């Protein structure tokens, strides 16, 4: 899933001068919908890119995967401005967006 996501988003990132770094992608069996997870990852990575383009930030998006027992933790980080305090409590509301 990570490599397929990279293939989709990396040309878009490269066009904008954003570097994608992925670590910890050792394959393991997971029970999930690959299309849905790939779409979620793509959205997170492209949102990170958008945040980086809004200012003078290091243009790096870092994705890491970590096995936690039977679960897998995936982190998508960027060096952008972060989420403004006034909307942090709303980010998990259905259909909430700042775009």
């Amino acid at each position: 899933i990570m490599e397929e996501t990279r293939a989709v988003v990396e040309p878009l990132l490269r066009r904008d001068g954003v570097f994608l770094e992925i670590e910890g992608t050792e394959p393991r069996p997971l029970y999930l919908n690959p299309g849905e997870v790939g779409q979620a990852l793509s959205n997170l990575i492209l949102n990170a890119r958008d945040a980086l383009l809004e200012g003078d930030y290091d243009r790096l998006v870092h994705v890491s995967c970590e096995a936690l027992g039977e679960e897998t933790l995936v982190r998508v980080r960027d060096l952008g401005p972060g989420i403004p305090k006034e909307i942090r409590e709303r980010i998990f509301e259905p259909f909430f967006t700042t775009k």
Side-chain angles (χ1 to χ4, degrees):
I1 295 170
M2 288 299 244
E3 289 309 314
E4 290 173 6
T5 300
R6 178 195 294 266
V8 170
V9 300
E10 204 161 42
L12 301 171
L13 299 176
R14 200 174 307 128
R15 178 193 69 197
D16 294 321
V18 176
F19 179 72
L20 177 63
E21 183 177 77
I22 298 176
E23 72 172 282
T25 58
E26 185 174 316
R28 60 182 291 192
L30 298 171
Y31 300 98
L32 48 77
N33 181 315
E36 289 177 357
V37 172
Q39 183 66 52
L41 281 171
S42 295
N43 289 343
L44 289 169
I45 293 167
L46 294 176
N47 285 348
R49 175 210 54 189
D50 293 347
L52 294 173
L53 296 178
E54 291 178 7
D56 187 25
Y57 305 104
D58 288 339
R59 294 187 172 186
L60 171 67
V61 177
H62 181 87
V63 180
S64 63
C65 300
E66 179 182 351
L68 299 174
E70 293 182 11
E71 299 177 355
T72 299
L73 174 64
V74 178
R75 288 186 177 106
V76 178
R77 296 181 295 163
D78 64 71
L79 301 170
I83 300 169
K85 289 180 183 179
E86 58 271 9
I87 66 167
R88 284 185 191 159
E89 293 182 14
R90 299 193 60 210
I91 63 171
F92 293 108
E93 290 178 15
F95 309 109
F96 176 75
T97 183
T98 59
K99 294 184 179 187

